[in-house]
Amino acid sequence: MALEMLGAMIGGLGLFLLAVGMITDGLRMTAGDALRDLLGRWTKTPLRGIASGALITGIVQSSSAVTVATIGFVNANLLTMHQALGVVFGANIGTTMTGWLVAAVGFNIKVEAFALPMIGIGMILRLTGAGSRRAAIGGALAGFGLFFIGIDVLRGAFEGLAQGVELAALASESLPGLMMFVGVGAFMTLMTQSSSAAIAITLTAATGGVIGLPAAAAMVIGANVGTTSTAVFAAIGATANARRVATAHVIFNLATGVVALMLLPVLLWLVRQAGDALALEAVPAVILALFHTLFNVLGVLLMWPFTGRLAGLLERRFVTPAEDLSRPQYLDRTTSSTPLLAQDAMRLELRRVLGMNRELALAALQPPVDARQFEGRQQAVMLLCDRIDASVAHLERSGLSADESAALPVVLRLVRRMREIAYEASQLVKQGLDCPQARPLVSETITVLKAWQPQDDLYSSTLSDQFHELHHRYERARKDVLKATATGLFQPVQANALLDQLRALGRLNSQLAKAGRQLQKQLRDEETVTESPHLPSGALVGNPGTTQ
């Protein structure tokens, strides 16, 4: 008998987890990009983030999916950490939908009467619409059917278990007893990696009479705390933003859990009063579902005043070398308030970016390349360029004179050129440089870049001569490849690959030279090179479409 009940519990849990996975996958595929777009549009403020996080989590039945999407938006600079916190808070409210589903239909009607037809219709849709949205809808529909079947199996198992268990031993309402049940709830969530599964088990156990209401409420608190394990595991070895969002999730759930446990008698009383006011049935499943929602909403209300401080604290933690490198050294609030100072600061930051791009170019030309370090440096260039762009936008809104406004497009062109240099360096890393005709050009480029220190010498006449010679070497190498292809030494496909490598190298040299020349002119150095006689305008262009 004991083995039979254990088998029923394991089988019911398995059905439940399978169902949740099918519902999540089916609804995400059905919605396509709609949920992602909704999350992007409706998280512009923390309050809207809470609403969208709760709504989307309630729909897809997966707070983990919403959290991962939020991390992606933060990484793409589409969401600030302040906005992301709203989504994290809302996801905790949305995940309480599972308890309401269990409470609404899990125990009071004959589940098979509607669950089995749902599974049958869902599978027909799935089998007849392979690869289409209809198949996704069918998978979600079958998942809901399995969800209720799994809940019914768990209910039967716990009803049998209640007959052979000494309930008094499990009904302790002392603090140590409640802490034990918190640990049980957290452990179940950790093992199943699903707080929904732990909540479902808790509700069925309470309904079956295995545990009392206070103990079940403590298990719900534990499940809420345990769900942070998914975010913690996902953040191991991940980006800084992923670790920040995971930390926010842990802080919120732990703080909410502590408060809920301290106020447990009060909250249960409030739940009963609210249930009476709403004319809800006073059964354990309904009471616990309402309790789960109430203490998560309470947690949001408690954390809301501290959202800004928490976001600031998290942004100062887990700082990566790329983020540290991308912090402006010259641009700040003081300089931004004075247009002339701000423009000078932008040019100095651009000088820094040029030096960072020189390091990127050298790394790309000297394999083997440390991919992680290279990506970090490239990210730092892009972040610093973003910050300079933001400063330009701020100045444009501050009411500039005609002369001051005229200088801003030049800064924007330089920023664009800096991004292009970083991009061309990354293309060289992806394509490699196995073209024999390029070896002299690569060697000479490395020599020039090693000797060039942009912080000391932006674009001297000597550097102009060197870049001019690199351009001639590029043209000779390109012609050598074309001649070798004409004589049959290279196949057309191979020749195209080699020409792409040479083109990327030529564009990299061209952009570096133009950036140095334009920045030299902007900073009004004594060695300003407006139009070098050795390097006519456009001479170093690797292809006709390169921006001037």
Side-chain angles (χ1 to χ4, degrees):
M1 187 66 178
L3 288 176
E4 183 179 347
M5 285 189 295
L6 179 61
M9 291 173 62
I10 294 174
L13 178 59
L15 284 172
F16 181 88
L17 292 173
L18 175 62
V20 170
M22 291 178 66
I23 293 169
T24 300
D25 293 341
L27 289 175
R28 278 194 294 182
M29 292 175 63
T30 300
D33 292 333
L35 291 178
R36 184 186 65 186
D37 294 341
L38 180 66
L39 188 60
R41 289 195 306 268
W42 283 89
T43 53
K44 299 305 180 184
T45 66
L47 185 59
R48 292 170 69 178
I50 290 173
S52 60
L55 175 63
I56 296 174
T57 303
I59 292 173
V60 302
Q61 284 292 290
S62 175
S63 59
S64 297
V66 175
T67 302
V68 170
T70 303
I71 290 171
F73 277 111
V74 176
N75 283 335
N77 291 323
L78 297 176
L79 284 182
T80 65
M81 184 57 58
H82 196 184
Q83 294 164 342
L85 291 182
V87 180
V88 171
F89 296 167
N92 279 276
I93 296 175
T95 199
T96 65
M97 181 60 68
T98 300
W100 286 110
L101 285 173
V102 173
V105 294
F107 306 109
N108 297 325
I109 61 177
K110 190 173 178 60
V111 171
E112 294 86 349
F114 66 90
L116 292 178
M118 289 174 70
I119 296 172
I121 294 171
M123 291 309 299
I124 290 173
L125 291 175
R126 186 170 181 173
L127 292 173
T128 58
S132 68
R133 183 167 291 187
R134 183 173 62 184
I137 294 173
L141 187 61
F144 275 111
L146 284 174
F147 178 94
F148 298 123
I149 292 291
I151 291 297
D152 197 50
V153 172
L154 281 174
R155 176 192 58 78
F158 278 110
E159 284 181 350
L161 182 63
Q163 298 174 6
V165 174
E166 181 60 42
L167 300 183
L170 297 175
S172 173
E173 296 185 18
S174 64
L175 182 59
L178 293 176
M179 288 295 296
M180 180 192 74
F181 282 106
V182 170
V184 170
F187 179 76
M188 287 194 301
T189 303
L190 180 64
M191 291 295 99
T192 61
Q193 282 299 288
S194 171
S195 62
S196 296
I199 296 295
I201 292 172
T202 302
L203 267 62
T204 51
T207 301
V210 175
I211 54 176
L213 199 58
M219 287 178 65
V220 169
I221 294 172
N224 215 60
V225 173
T227 194
T228 61
S229 62
T230 303
V232 171
F233 291 151
I236 295 175
T239 64
N241 284 325
R243 283 177 281 171
R244 289 171 186 141
V245 173
T247 302
H249 196 193
V250 171
I251 291 173
F252 174 83
N253 286 39
L254 280 177
T256 302
V258 169
V259 171
L261 189 61
M262 291 172 60
L263 300 178
L264 186 57
V266 176
L267 290 177
L268 287 176
W269 179 82
L270 286 174
V271 164
R272 290 190 179 94
Q273 297 303 311
D276 292 341
L278 297 171
L280 298 176
E281 190 176 359
V283 294
V286 173
I287 293 173
L288 290 172
L290 186 55
F291 170 76
H292 192 197
T293 302
L294 178 63
F295 85 75
N296 272 292
V297 171
L298 177 63
V300 171
L301 294 176
L302 290 174
M303 295 295 292
W304 177 263
F306 306 102
T307 302
R309 292 182 181 179
L310 180 59
L313 175 65
L314 292 173
E315 286 174 344
R316 293 191 294 270
R317 302 290 298 174
F318 312 114
V319 178
T320 64
E323 288 176 322
D324 195 42
L325 189 60
S326 68
R327 288 178 176 172
Q329 291 185 1
Y330 304 99
L331 280 170
D332 55 30
R333 292 181 180 179
T334 304
T335 57
S336 297
S337 61
T338 307
L340 289 177
L341 289 177
Q343 291 184 32
D344 288 342
M346 289 176 196
R347 296 179 187 117
L348 291 172
E349 293 292 357
L350 284 168
R351 190 169 194 153
R352 276 188 65 218
V353 178
L354 184 58
M356 292 158 64
N357 271 330
R358 167 189 169 273
E359 296 297 324
L360 274 180
L362 280 171
L365 295 173
Q366 300 179 94
V369 178
D370 185 330
R372 189 161 189 171
Q373 187 179 47
F374 184 90
E375 289 173 4
R377 288 178 177 176
Q378 186 184 21
Q379 182 186 14
V381 168
M382 297 304 185
L383 287 172
L384 197 46
C385 285
D386 288 343
R387 289 183 167 99
I388 297 172
D389 276 343
S391 295
V392 170
H394 175 75
L395 282 181
E396 287 177 334
R397 294 191 298 268
S398 61
L400 303 178
S401 66
D403 290 340
E404 291 168 343
S405 296
L408 295 183
V410 179
V411 174
L412 291 175
R413 283 197 294 271
L414 277 165
V415 171
R416 186 173 68 249
R417 197 175 298 286
M418 296 302 176
R419 287 195 177 100
E420 290 171 356
I421 295 170
Y423 172 76
E424 296 300 344
S426 69
Q427 290 300 105
L428 283 178
V429 172
K430 291 178 182 177
Q431 296 172 6
L433 277 170
D434 53 5
C435 176
Q437 285 75 9
R439 286 170 189 162
L441 175 59
V442 172
S443 178
E444 183 65 22
T445 300
I446 291 172
T447 300
V448 171
L449 292 180
K450 283 185 174 179
W452 181 31
Q453 300 295 330
Q455 66 270 24
D456 300 325
D457 177 18
L458 276 172
Y459 201 74
S460 64
S461 58
T462 301
L463 186 63
S464 172
D465 291 338
Q466 291 172 330
F467 273 118
H468 185 55
E469 178 60 27
L470 289 177
H471 174 68
H472 283 304
R473 283 184 178 273
Y474 159 73
E475 289 293 342
R476 285 198 296 269
R478 187 172 64 85
K479 290 176 181 178
D480 288 344
V481 172
L482 292 174
K483 288 179 182 178
T485 305
T487 59
L489 184 61
F490 295 137
Q491 294 298 316
V493 174
Q494 184 184 12
N496 284 332
L498 297 177
L499 288 171
D500 284 342
Q501 295 173 21
L502 285 171
R503 194 175 297 113
L505 182 56
R507 283 199 296 261
L508 180 66
N509 287 333
S510 171
Q511 297 296 343
L512 284 167
K514 290 174 184 175
R517 185 174 69 238
Q518 290 180 358
L519 193 54
Q520 179 90 333
K521 182 179 178 181
Q522 284 297 303
L523 290 172
R524 303 180 185 278
D525 195 279
E526 292 181 358
E527 298 177 330
T528 299
V529 180
T530 54
E531 289 293 335
S532 169
H534 303 289
L535 187 61
S537 178
L540 279 176
V541 180
N543 67 341
T546 302
T547 304
Q548 298 296 316

